[in-house]
Amino acid sequence: MNMKQILICTSIIMYGQAALAQKAEHAQAVTEAIKIKPYLPPTEDTIPDNEFGAMVRFGRDIFIDTQAHAGKYVGNGLNCVNCHLDAGRLANSAPLWAAWVKYPAYRGKNKMVNIMQERFQGCFKYSMNGKAPATDSKELKALTSYAFWLAQGAPTGVDLPGRGYPGLAKPEKKPDFKRGKQVFAENCVLCHGDKGEGTRQNAGYVFPPLWGKDSFNWGAGMHRINTAAAFIRANMPLGKGGSLSNQQAWDVAYYVNSHERPQDPRFKGDVAATKAAYHQHQCRYGDKSGNHLLGKKP
Amino acid sequence: MKITVVLVMMLSMQVFAISVHAAATLTGDAIARQGNGNGAPPCMSCHGDKGQGVPAVGRPYLAGQSKTYLVKQLTDFLNKRRSNSVMQPIASALTAQEINAVATYYSRLPLRAAPNKQKNGAQGTIGESLASKGKWSVGMPACFKCHGDKGQGIAPNFPAISGQSSKYLKAQLEHWQKGERSNDPVGLMQAVVEHLNDAEIAAVTKYISAQSPAKAK
């Protein structure tokens, strides 16, 4: 190999490397563009005026007023929109469009790959403390249509920005009941009541109950302190998301979830056994709150 | 000497009269119709004979508002968390008992007729959208989320707003923007007005004002 050949070889290699680097850079830019670009769901006035559109509207109506439109599947006083603000459209409030593109998905909760319909069924069983509508029920078809419509144009399989509730850093101090109670009194009682009972008007809840018989049960995601803290920090008080500190969000989530609520539907007849099987995470099920064993109704 | 005695007697009589006045409980109805005889004029002279307000000049209806809300407003005029040159001296002239009585009276008074004769606000307008859906793209909840699904209020803390004078509603939103009103619990209204521009304030207050005041149960 003479000098000229060596130079040619080197430049080919260098060109190749540069091209590779450029390609990698491009790939990264694409990934970042996907990662950073916020997804905006379509506006409601673009729901089509046809059979599909009718199902989308019905799904939206169920989502906003679950009591009125899917009441037979609900066993408490809640509506989907209580935890998924702005009719399931709002980023960082577990928006439907971000969930849609991640299903089917494996879930540790039931140790299997779930389709979106099964995910909805889980919501009814736990968060709504009710019974799951069948996969071919008109209610579930409508909810599926609504989620599908909200996510049209969103890239499939991607963790869209705003999915779920934004994870929180661990609190500086261990979450505390007393401090949580104080945060609750100052920021939450106005709407949710000093016993977490919510506010009723015209036979329904206008502000949701946070514990007690009409709230989510011990199997719902929101009974986990980390999940509730993340939701609260991003979204509460309504219209003032981000106003509580990280510590305040953890404390108040701990306080809310240190109260009695409907039993975990997977109850094994014994709090300790149920705790061992299903509550190996950040929650207070099976703990003592004062003299009361949480999970064992008074 | 004589003069001094007379003066002292007169003074003590006056003190006696004042204490008698304070001790005698005026009914809410009496205060609303006649004032308290101690500096507070009759409420109805500005808020209408049935507490229905005078929408055209921005005087709000009081009938049917929750007692807790009305007591808080009168108290806040005093402590200037709600700045208002007309209401401040009136609230100062009322005793705590009188405030309680007059708030009870108005909370029990039914809001009979829609104070506004306008047609219902148009659906599909910016005003309707802000009132019933909010502007979540900037984190603003719907007005009706906290003030009732028809703006009928959610007792005890969230007043009725539907059918309220648009002039009054607009002035309130502007007062929150300027910090002249800061008596909203948890600063909820101050968080809302941050997101509203003048055109939106005009649209949303016009829409809400045009809704019939619905009855809350």
Side-chain angles (χ1 to χ4, degrees):
Chain A
M1 212 182 255
N2 64 22
M3 199 56 172
K4 199 176 168 186
Q5 282 171 318
I6 290 171
L7 270 174
I8 289 169
C9 277
T10 315
S11 54
I12 288 171
I13 291 165
M14 280 174 70
Y15 174 78
Q17 277 175 337
L20 272 177
Q22 214 172 9
K23 204 174 168 188
E25 218 170 86
H26 176 68
Q28 200 184 346
V30 168
T31 318
E32 274 175 9
I34 292 171
K35 223 194 277 176
I36 292 162
K37 197 181 169 193
Y39 172 73
L40 282 178
T43 54
E44 276 189 6
D45 55 5
T46 65
I47 298 176
D49 281 321
N50 54 23
E51 275 180 0
F52 170 61
M55 284 297 268
V56 171
R57 283 196 189 87
F58 184 39
R60 177 205 56 193
D61 292 348
I62 294 173
F63 205 83
I64 294 171
D65 193 347
T66 323
Q67 301 287 330
H69 301 285
K72 61 181 169 178
Y73 301 108
V74 180
N76 60 19
L78 303 184
N79 296 301
C80 305
V81 73
N82 292 146
C83 300
H84 308 268
L85 303 182
D86 192 20
R89 305 171 60 90
L90 187 64
N92 300 322
S93 180
L96 275 181
W97 41 265
W100 177 265
V101 300
K102 291 295 281 185
Y103 278 83
Y106 179 81
R107 299 190 73 217
K109 188 161 183 169
N110 53 13
K111 300 188 181 6
M112 60 180 243
V113 172
N114 291 229
I115 55 172
M116 191 69 190
Q117 285 85 340
E118 289 167 322
R119 183 65 190 84
F120 277 129
Q121 288 169 333
C123 293
F124 278 98
K125 188 174 170 187
Y126 300 108
S127 301
M128 309 304 286
N129 192 37
K131 69 174 196 218
T135 307
D136 63 352
S137 63
K138 66 178 195 303
E139 289 83 359
L140 215 47
K141 283 180 184 167
L143 283 168
T144 311
S145 302
Y146 181 48
F148 169 80
W149 175 80
L150 280 172
Q152 60 181 287
T156 297
V158 174
D159 252 333
L160 291 171
R163 183 187 176 206
Y165 307 123
L168 286 190
K170 280 187 180 168
E172 275 182 33
K173 291 177 266 185
K174 200 170 157 265
D176 177 77
F177 188 92
K178 264 195 183 168
R179 284 199 310 266
K181 188 176 181 177
Q182 181 71 24
V183 176
F184 193 81
E186 287 166 6
N187 298 279
C188 318
V189 162
L190 185 71
C191 298
H192 296 292
D194 62 353
K195 292 177 184 65
E197 74 276 22
T199 304
R200 279 171 169 277
Q201 192 176 61
N202 301 338
Y205 283 99
V206 283
F207 298 124
L210 303 184
W211 64 85
K213 65 176 174 58
D214 279 343
S215 191
F216 53 90
N217 69 37
W218 280 112
M222 202 57 89
H223 92 284
R224 296 191 191 203
I225 293 156
N226 52 320
T227 305
F231 167 76
I232 292 164
R233 174 92 166 91
N235 298 298
M236 288 288 126
L238 199 68
K240 292 194 74 185
S243 63
L244 297 178
S245 71
N246 198 38
Q247 184 70 50
Q248 284 177 313
W250 279 99
D251 289 339
V252 79
Y254 184 89
Y255 174 74
V256 166
N257 281 326
S258 295
H259 288 89
E260 201 49 90
R261 56 183 64 263
Q263 185 57 271
D264 189 332
R266 301 161 297 184
F267 188 57
K268 288 171 167 298
D270 172 66
V271 171
T274 311
K275 181 180 168 75
Y278 304 117
H279 292 272
Q280 299 308 305
H281 47 232
Q282 295 181 67
C283 83
R284 301 222 59 207
Y285 186 84
D287 284 1
K288 280 270 179 97
S289 182
N291 288 326
H292 178 70
L293 182 69
L294 292 167
K296 190 177 174 133
K297 285 192 182 166
Chain B
M1 190 61 187
K2 264 188 181 172
I3 293 168
T4 316
V5 169
V6 169
L7 267 176
V8 166
M9 275 177 67
M10 277 173 70
L11 262 173
S12 53
M13 275 169 75
Q14 215 164 11
V15 168
F16 179 68
I18 288 167
S19 56
V20 162
H21 170 84
T25 318
L26 283 169
T27 63
D29 178 86
I31 299 166
R33 290 178 185 287
Q34 296 145 28
N36 73 345
N38 197 31
C43 311
M44 62 178 270
S45 57
C46 287
H47 289 282
D49 58 346
K50 296 178 179 70
Q52 77 275 35
V54 187
V57 290
R59 291 177 195 147
Y61 64 72
L62 307 175
Q65 296 288 21
S66 92
K67 179 187 161 189
T68 306
Y69 174 76
L70 293 172
V71 168
K72 179 168 161 50
Q73 300 317 304
L74 283 168
T75 313
D76 288 342
F77 285 126
L78 278 176
N79 61 31
K80 307 243 173 103
R81 292 188 66 204
R82 190 172 170 178
S83 147
N84 182 307
S85 57
V86 175
M87 283 307 298
Q88 202 270 333
I90 296 173
S92 307
L94 294 167
T95 66
Q97 260 183 331
E98 286 166 351
I99 284 179
N100 203 52
V102 79
T104 306
Y105 170 74
Y106 278 110
S107 71
R108 289 176 183 167
L109 204 61
L111 187 57
R112 288 185 196 283
N116 282 335
K117 300 290 180 201
Q118 305 169 32
K119 280 186 196 164
N120 273 359
Q123 302 296 304
T125 57
I126 294 171
E128 189 255 346
S129 177
L130 289 168
S132 58
K133 295 195 180 98
K135 194 163 98 175
W136 278 111
S137 57
V138 291
M140 192 199 113
C143 311
F144 290 169
K145 196 82 196 164
C146 292
H147 288 282
D149 60 353
K150 294 180 179 64
Q152 72 273 31
I154 297 177
N157 301 304
F158 300 95
I161 52 174
S162 54
Q164 189 59 281
S165 154
S166 62
K167 202 168 180 176
Y168 169 77
L169 293 174
K170 186 165 172 281
Q172 298 316 302
L173 294 178
E174 287 165 357
H175 286 179
W176 266 301
Q177 279 187 334
K178 291 180 201 148
E180 287 166 11
R181 194 170 169 182
S182 62
N183 67 334
D184 46 335
V186 199
L188 292 173
M189 281 308 298
Q190 291 168 77
V192 164
V193 297
E194 266 178 35
H195 304 299
L196 292 173
N197 61 36
D198 293 351
E200 288 168 332
I201 286 182
V204 76
T205 52
K206 191 178 161 197
Y207 175 80
I208 292 170
S209 172
Q211 306 309 303
S212 330
K215 259 197 176 171
K217 280 174 197 164

